[in-house]
Amino acid sequence: TCSGAYSCGDYAKVFYHGALADNATVSVVCDDGTGQLSGPSCPFLAIHASTASNVRLDCIDDPSVNSYNSYACDQVALYAQYAGEIMLDFREEFSSMNSEFHVQNAGVVTFSAFGQKYASRSDTVHAENAGSLTVSCSSDHLSWNACYKNDFYIPAQTTLNCYGRSCYNLKYLYSTLEAAELAQH
């Protein structure tokens, strides 16, 4: 757990070197904490967990002190291409920005962004060959989006849940499938 501004420092790395059969869970929490100092708790964090059974990343912001320039997860890179189950959870305003999630061949990928302003902003999810991808974005604010200018590389089994204005300006959904193939799934 990285709690508070700059608590995990710039360019920290997390490595899991085990096998998928180990049934290991890699869980990282980036929490801006009590709001004493505004700044990312996990700037430029790299998580290498390609063969973990379960991977969970929680990015939690303290909306009482944060600004447009500070995200709990700032330019985080997740490499979990072959993991079994992945949960990406972004809560509150300004939780993740300019992060990349490489989960191309994972089993089940769940992406959740809940907050009034940019819970996930300019993030990229590479899940094009995953078993399934569920994207849920929820915002109760009339002018702001939970998922803003994100790129999703989606597999055939994709579910997109948008609540309120949460997916307005989502940006792009990319697929290697033809439109008719996507409609059938």
Side-chain angles (χ1 to χ4, degrees), residues 96-173:
S96 179
M97 180 173 165
N98 294 325
S99 296
E100 290 199 12
F101 308 106
H102 300 274
V103 295
Q104 289 90 332
N105 300 297
V108 176
V109 180
T110 304
F111 177 100
S112 300
F114 300 103
Q116 290 187 355
K117 299 177 186 174
Y118 308 144
S120 172
R121 179 181 184 179
S122 301
D123 291 332
T124 302
V125 177
H126 292 277
E128 50 266 46
N129 297 312
S132 68
L133 170 66
T134 300
V135 176
S136 297
C137 303
S138 179
S139 174
D140 58 1
H141 196 276
L142 296 177
S143 300
W144 299 94
N145 323 80
C147 296
Y148 182 71
K149 293 190 176 180
N150 293 344
D151 290 323
F152 291 93
Y153 293 80
I154 62 172
Q157 297 295 322
T158 298
T159 302
L160 182 61
N161 300 307
C162 298
Y163 304 99
R165 290 182 45 99
S166 60
C167 293
Y168 181 74
N169 281 330
L170 182 64
K171 198 170 175 190
Y172 296 113
L173 299 175

Side-chain angles (χ1 to χ4, degrees), residues 48-123:
H48 300 268
S50 287
T51 55
S53 181
N54 298 291
V55 177
R56 182 176 181 100
L57 173 64
D58 291 282
C59 300
I60 307 163
D61 175 61
D62 181 353
S64 67
V65 298
N66 219 331
S67 69
Y68 293 110
N69 299 324
S70 178
Y71 287 76
C73 293
D74 187 4
Q75 299 181 56
V76 168
L78 170 66
Y79 303 96
Q81 295 91 322
Y82 303 102
E85 188 171 335
I86 297 168
M87 178 63 176
L88 305 170
D89 190 26
F90 311 103
R91 284 178 265 150
E92 299 300 337
E93 302 172 358
F94 314 114
S95 295
S96 179
M97 180 173 165
N98 294 325
S99 296
E100 290 199 12
F101 308 106
H102 300 274
V103 295
Q104 289 90 332
N105 300 297
V108 176
V109 180
T110 304
F111 177 100
S112 300
F114 300 103
Q116 290 187 355
K117 299 177 186 174
Y118 308 144
S120 172
R121 179 181 184 179
S122 301
D123 291 332

